[in-house]
Amino acid sequence: MLGLNHLMDSMMIGMSFDEVPPTSDENVAVTETTFNHIPVRVYVPKRKSEALRRGVFYIHGGGWCLGSAALKGYDSLSRWTADRLDAVVISTDYRLAPKYHFPTQFEDVYNALKWFLREKVLAKYGVNPERVAVSGDSAGGNLAAAVTQQLLDDPDVKIKLKVQSLIYPALQPLDVDTPSYQGYSHFPVLSKSLMVRFWSEYFTTDRSLEKAMLSHQHVPVESSHLFKFVNWSSLLPERFIKGYVYNNPIYGSSELSKKYPGFLDVRAAPLLADDHKLRGLPLTYIITCQYDVLRDDGLMYVSRLRNAGVRVTHNHVEDGFHGSFSLLNFKIGYRLINQYISWLSENL
């Protein structure tokens, strides 16, 4: 507010006090290294295993601006996942906005994941190449969905993911007036204005994009065909539509999309993928929370994936809100993490 520091930089300083060192415990060995120059934390169960282990590649959330694998919540999640699944967990970092913008975050995560999926790297960590998952929450869920799509077209990657797990993912910035954005615009933790700020910061520090998004005038008419991929009036289950009216898009000038084309890029907005691309995706687990502006992004992706023939397990949390998954010391967080790990145990 005083103009002394960027909002996201200030928030990041506050979050850094919740970071913990890579400390091994009696069950899990924890180390830090780099995958293709990207910092990662590696969690390996200490107990001996006769067979190759599962592998879980986890991407933290934080609106592409905040967070790290070192945050206590993510460190605890990775330990629990490694111990309970008897899995090798890779928790990746990536460069953040406002210093870095799209596609840097996407490329960092993609390059780290490709490194992990090399045969000799999987062999080094004792991971079964047929049992690898990618997971992420919020902006990490966005990146997880995006890199999973990108892998489909990469001839250099011979090893394919078995499953993807998306925890209340952000999947599109075209329509920030869905029923969940309208109904929970001022809900704590993640308000509509903060989510729009995150989206905008992902692409630029120019606040004109944020302003255009809040007035729903950021998409140019020449990109109007993309709205069919995010039309909540046809993609949301009826019970989530009741009381809301779908308004046709208001188109803006093409100036913003020419300066910042990222917000129309499928690597930033996985919901913009066409059905042909979606058909090749692996078994998917999606968590959505009722009290979350991003609820409808997840719901629309569930519909589109199922329409494309992808097997999806959808866990809608009626009493959930954005960030619930990270509340490890509360019943709701414990419950969601148990459900997530149980699903991986059965399907990975």
Side-chain angles (χ1 to χ4, degrees):
M1 291 176 67
L2 296 174
L4 301 176
N5 201 9
H6 191 284
L7 171 65
M8 298 304 167
D9 288 336
S10 299
M11 293 176 70
M12 191 64 183
I13 291 170
M15 293 182 74
S16 67
F17 290 103
D18 198 36
E19 292 185 345
V20 294
T23 306
S24 300
D25 59 32
E26 65 272 18
N27 298 316
V28 179
V30 184
T31 57
E32 288 185 327
T33 186
T34 58
F35 281 4
N36 203 14
H37 309 295
I38 309 302
V40 299
R41 281 198 178 189
V42 181
Y43 299 78
V44 180
K46 286 186 173 179
R47 61 182 177 273
K48 291 184 178 180
S49 177
E50 298 284 330
L52 293 173
R53 290 187 162 102
R54 303 173 171 101
V56 177
F57 186 91
Y58 195 90
I59 310 161
H60 71 78
W64 310 278
C65 301
L66 307 169
S68 78
L71 286 175
K72 187 175 181 180
Y74 290 120
D75 180 72
S76 296
L77 172 64
S78 296
R79 290 173 190 275
W80 292 355
T81 305
D83 186 39
R84 291 178 52 186
L85 272 185
D86 193 26
V88 173
V89 176
I90 308 299
S91 185
T92 190
D93 278 318
Y94 48 92
R95 286 171 289 178
L96 301 170
K99 187 175 182 180
Y100 301 97
H101 299 293
F102 175 85
T104 297
Q105 291 84 338
F106 168 85
E107 289 175 345
D108 282 359
V109 171
Y110 192 66
N111 288 333
L113 177 58
K114 279 185 66 173
W115 186 270
F116 181 52
L117 291 176
R118 296 165 66 197
E119 285 187 14
K120 68 177 185 179
V121 176
L122 293 177
K124 174 184 175 181
Y125 290 106
V127 173
N128 186 334
E130 296 181 354
R131 303 181 78 181
V132 180
V134 65
S135 301
D137 66 288
S138 194
N142 165 281
L143 292 164
V147 297
T148 302
Q149 290 183 8
Q150 186 79 0
L151 283 173
L152 299 177
D153 299 325
D154 194 331
D156 295 333
V157 181
K158 308 302 181 187
I159 294 168
K160 302 303 180 185
L161 297 171
K162 185 174 183 182
V163 302
Q164 61 173 340
S165 304
L166 313 177
I167 297 136
Y168 37 67
L171 297 170
Q172 58 84 29
L174 273 71
D175 187 350
V176 291
D177 201 36
T178 64
S180 59
Y181 267 109
Q182 293 182 54
Y184 307 111
S185 61
H186 299 291
F187 204 81
V189 182
L190 187 65
S191 64
K192 175 178 176 175
S193 61
L194 180 57
M195 189 62 228
V196 170
R197 178 70 183 270
F198 280 140
W199 271 120
S200 179
E201 292 286 349
Y202 190 21
F203 307 115
T204 176
T205 50
D206 179 357
R207 301 291 294 275
S208 63
L209 177 57
E210 177 189 3
K211 183 178 179 181
M213 288 180 70
L214 288 170
S215 61
H216 315 295
Q217 296 181 359
H218 57 298
V219 181
V221 67
E222 56 264 34
S223 300
S224 60
H225 64 285
L226 296 175
F227 278 101
K228 67 184 178 184
F229 298 128
V230 297
N231 187 332
W232 56 262
S233 67
S234 61
L235 291 171
L236 292 183
E238 182 60 35
R239 73 184 183 97
F240 297 104
I241 296 176
K242 287 180 180 177
Y244 295 95
V245 177
Y246 183 81
N247 296 311
N248 289 323
I250 304 169
Y251 299 110
S253 74
S254 58
E255 181 182 352
L256 282 173
S257 62
K258 288 177 179 176
K259 289 172 69 176
Y260 314 116
F263 71 85
L264 301 175
D265 192 314
V266 69
R267 295 173 300 166
L271 258 171
L272 300 185
D274 60 29
D275 290 345
H276 176 73
K277 169 66 72 67
L278 297 183
R279 286 189 196 106
L281 292 173
L283 175 64
T284 301
Y285 180 72
I286 296 180
I287 291 178
T288 55
C289 290
Q290 179 63 25
Y291 304 101
D292 182 2
V293 293
L294 296 179
R295 180 197 69 190
D296 295 344
D297 281 21
L299 291 174
M300 288 191 286
Y301 206 41
V302 169
S303 295
R304 291 207 54 218
L305 289 175
R306 285 176 173 166
N307 291 343
V310 177
R311 291 190 298 144
V312 181
T313 298
H314 177 211
N315 179 9
H316 182 66
V317 187
E318 291 289 351
D319 59 344
F321 51 90
H322 198 84
S324 299
F325 193 75
S326 299
L327 298 177
L328 307 185
N329 296 321
F330 291 81
K331 287 182 179 179
I332 189 167
Y334 190 71
R335 187 176 87 229
L336 295 189
I337 289 171
N338 274 339
Q339 292 168 347
Y340 159 74
I341 293 177
S342 294
W343 187 87
L344 287 176
S345 179
E346 293 173 10
N347 293 281
L348 178 57

